[in-house]
Amino acid sequence: GYSLMARFSGLATRFLTLYLIRLLMGVFEGAYTPVSIASTTEASRPERRGLNIGIQLGCFALIGLGFGPIIVTQLQNWVQSWRGVFVIVAVPGLIVAYLMYRTIREPAHLSPDQSGDRKVKQYPWSAIFQHRNVMIGTLALVGAMSCIFVIGAMMPSYLIDYAKLSTADMGFVLSAIGFFGAAGQISMGAISDRIGRRLALNISFGLGIVFLLLLMRVGADKILLFLLLGGLSACAFAILGLLSGPVPTEAVPPALT
């Protein structure tokens, strides 16, 4: 569904049509993400869960925010139309959807054979609210995601209109979000498998605040902006990976994951 909506974005002729299509893209993306995390969790050994989820979610930052803008701008030069770009970028998603359909195994509690030792207890969905890690993690994730979205939305305008950087320099600085974000998710996910989720989260939150305060005070130095934005992104995406993956899935029974 997400890939098809991306394809239809290239057919939109009015703002309202494009808005509705992008709205549906958000619905499909939101539906995909938690299920994909649950699938990765079920396929992972406990001692590798943080790393595996970090790799999965790190691809969102690396491909979508790091390489994505580069790939799209090059495609536009090749096909000579932004509408054609949407047609092309929809194809990989459809291929991946087919591969997932053929590959992913269902969890044990959905198996038709739950006799004997394999029987898994069922729970009402509201039982998730009885687990403290889920509730605190949700609130903390609101903070981390707000930081990511505000920085991602405001930084281009800030860099060009306020810091007076060129468009090329702005693109260079913004690429830090994707590359450092992916590195943060993968590395802190792996580190949390060794030192624990809570300490890894505290380190990420603490460092993220420091990087944000420094970023607010730096001038038009593109190297410093790149490094500070990268540090902030690494911490924020690390929090995203831990709070949307290992922390809640390890807090609840398998049937609620």
Side-chain angles (χ1 to χ4, degrees):
Y2 181 87
S3 299
L4 289 175
M5 290 304 108
R7 165 69 179 87
F8 293 151
S9 296
L11 302 177
T13 56
R14 299 193 314 176
F15 170 78
L16 181 59
T17 305
L18 182 61
Y19 179 83
L20 293 175
I21 291 172
R22 304 299 286 186
L23 188 69
L24 285 173
M25 282 185 72
V27 171
F28 284 119
E29 181 183 14
Y32 165 81
T33 303
V35 182
S36 69
I37 293 171
S39 297
T40 302
T41 299
E42 289 154 359
S44 304
R45 298 196 305 272
E47 63 271 17
R48 280 181 55 92
R49 192 172 290 144
L51 172 61
N52 290 353
I53 294 176
I55 291 172
Q56 179 207 322
L57 294 178
C59 287
F60 157 63
L62 181 63
I63 305 300
L65 298 173
F67 290 115
I70 300 172
I71 294 171
V72 167
T73 51
Q74 293 305 308
L75 281 175
Q76 189 166 354
N77 292 331
W78 179 51
V79 300
Q80 301 299 317
S81 168
W82 66 268
R83 296 183 184 276
V85 171
F86 279 109
V87 175
I88 295 172
V89 299
V91 174
L94 296 173
I95 295 173
V96 170
Y98 173 74
L99 293 175
M100 288 190 296
Y101 173 75
R102 293 295 303 271
T103 304
I104 292 179
R105 296 187 297 271
E106 296 293 358
H109 73 277
L110 294 181
S111 171
D113 178 20
Q114 292 193 28
S115 58
D117 295 337
R118 293 195 62 197
K119 188 166 185 177
V120 178
K121 184 178 179 181
Q122 300 293 315
Y123 299 86
W125 68 270
S126 57
I128 60 173
F129 298 112
Q130 299 173 9
H131 299 274
R132 183 180 59 183
N133 279 13
V134 175
M135 301 305 299
I136 294 177
T138 299
L139 294 174
L141 192 56
V142 170
M145 289 300 292
S146 296
C147 178
I148 292 170
F149 281 122
V150 169
I151 291 295
M154 296 298 296
M155 193 55 63
S157 177
Y158 170 77
L159 294 174
I160 290 179
D161 299 332
Y162 182 79
K164 305 301 181 183
L165 296 185
S166 67
T167 302
D169 287 340
M170 180 271 291
F172 166 72
V173 173
L174 277 185
S175 68
I177 298 177
F179 295 122
F180 280 83
Q185 283 189 312
I186 296 171
S187 60
M188 289 308 291
I191 290 171
S192 75
D193 288 332
R194 299 288 179 265
I195 68 174
R197 316 299 185 203
R198 178 163 51 188
L199 182 56
L201 280 169
N202 287 339
I203 292 172
S204 299
F205 260 107
L207 287 177
I209 291 171
V210 171
F211 280 123
L212 180 58
L213 291 174
L214 292 175
L215 182 65
M216 291 165 57
R217 287 162 174 77
V218 70
D221 187 323
K222 65 179 182 180
I223 301 299
L224 264 180
L225 285 167
F226 177 83
L227 294 175
L228 291 174
L229 181 60
L232 172 60
S233 300
C235 294
F237 276 91
I239 296 166
L240 166 63
L242 291 171
L243 288 181
S244 61
V247 171
T249 59
E250 292 169 346
V252 301
L256 284 175
T257 299

